[in-house]
Amino acid sequence: MNWESLIPTIIGGLLALLGGIIQQNRANKTAEKVRKETEKNAQELRIEQENKRKEEQIRQDKIGIIKDIASSKTAILNTFSDDNAKTTFNGALNLIPVIFQDNKEILNTHQKLFDAITTGSGDNSNNIFYELVMLMHDDVGFERLPYEQFIRTLSA
């Protein structure tokens, strides 16, 4: 047995084994880093999708209020309204501060309408009501309607 070649061979083998361990360790760390980054990206994507879903739901809720007000405005604009129209109309008006809470201009105009109605100085309430609904139109991206077209009601 040649001891002179055995020791370098053993040392070479150990160094190769050590190099393999180091390389595997680096590969594991890289894989872990990639896994964490992928997991972070997936979580961010889930949060982004959830936020978009919430925003769309809020937008649909806002549109629902606009629809309820437009379809039941006969409750205040003429005498041919029924109790269902009044209930729908009042319910929609009461939801405005909740659903449009992110729009201070709408909240302020809603308060002005409330003040005009409750203080009995409602001479200007139709104009305030119109402005409130048009601000809601702006908020969801609808075009403003001319006052005459908006204030007109149809009752069959």
Side-chain angles (χ1 to χ4, degrees), residues 74-92:
T74 58
I76 61 163
L77 298 177
N78 68 38
T79 58
F80 300 112
S81 65
D82 60 16
D83 287 339
N84 287 337
K86 290 177 184 176
T87 300
T88 301
F89 182 80
N90 288 326

Side-chain angles (χ1 to χ4, degrees), residues 14-142:
L14 289 174
L15 289 175
L17 181 61
L18 182 60
I21 291 171
I22 291 171
Q23 185 176 2
Q24 185 61 42
N25 190 24
R26 284 184 178 170
N28 287 344
K29 284 182 180 181
T30 301
E32 181 66 16
K33 184 178 178 181
V34 168
R35 185 191 63 77
K36 284 182 180 179
E37 187 66 30
T38 302
E39 192 175 283
K40 179 183 171 191
N41 290 342
Q43 179 66 17
E44 288 172 355
L45 181 60
R46 281 191 296 273
I47 290 170
E48 183 181 329
Q49 289 172 338
E50 181 64 17
N51 287 341
K52 283 182 181 179
R53 188 195 63 75
K54 286 178 183 178
E55 288 173 7
E56 182 56 29
Q57 182 60 50
I58 290 169
R59 184 174 187 278
Q60 291 306 315
D61 290 346
K62 289 176 176 182
I63 291 170
I65 288 175
I66 294 169
K67 284 180 179 180
D68 285 347
I69 287 173
S71 67
S72 63
K73 65 186 175 192
T74 58
I76 61 163
L77 298 177
N78 68 38
T79 58
F80 300 112
S81 65
D82 60 16
D83 287 339
N84 287 337
K86 290 177 184 176
T87 300
T88 301
F89 182 80
N90 288 326
L93 279 180
N94 288 324
L95 283 173
I96 290 172
V98 176
I99 303 299
F100 288 90
Q101 62 183 288
D102 60 337
N103 190 317
K104 299 298 181 202
E105 192 173 9
I106 289 174
L107 296 178
N108 291 337
T109 306
H110 182 267
Q111 183 63 47
K112 283 194 325 195
L113 179 62
F114 175 79
D115 292 344
I117 292 170
T118 58
T119 61
S121 61
D123 295 339
N124 196 27
S125 61
N126 278 356
N127 290 329
I128 297 170
F129 173 60
Y130 168 75
E131 183 57 26
L132 175 63
V133 176
M134 291 306 104
L135 287 170
M136 292 166 35
H137 276 226
D138 294 343
D139 189 82
V140 298
F142 289 175

